[in-house]
Amino acid sequence: MEKIKIQTEYIKLDQFLKWTGVAESGVHAKDMILAGEVKVNGEVEERRGKKLYKGDKVEIAGKTFEVE
């Protein structure tokens, strides 16, 4: 599991995917989310504006990231 440190209270899911380099662009992040390819804390998440807080776990493409 890779830990990703953020400097703010939260980060939106689409921004997080770009920040980690999993998504090449906002459009790519949106497409991945709408296709059901992203899990947040074990549940498929289809809202690209979902707010992620410290301790949340994001699974995508066989990788797991933890917001820190």
Side-chain angles (χ1 to χ4, degrees), residues 39-57:
K39 287 185 178 181
V40 175
N41 298 324
E43 301 285 328
V44 173
E45 181 57 65
E46 295 182 341
R47 296 172 294 170
R48 69 179 202 215
K50 165 76 174 163
K51 293 177 181 176
L52 303 175
Y53 296 91
K54 291 172 177 64
D56 283 340
K57 292 178 179 60

Side-chain angles (χ1 to χ4, degrees), residues 7-24:
Q7 302 298 322
T8 55
E9 179 186 355
Y10 66 85
I11 186 170
K12 291 185 180 177
L13 181 57
D14 58 348
Q15 295 171 331
F16 183 82
L17 295 178
K18 290 189 295 182
W19 178 259
T20 59
V22 172
E24 300 164 5

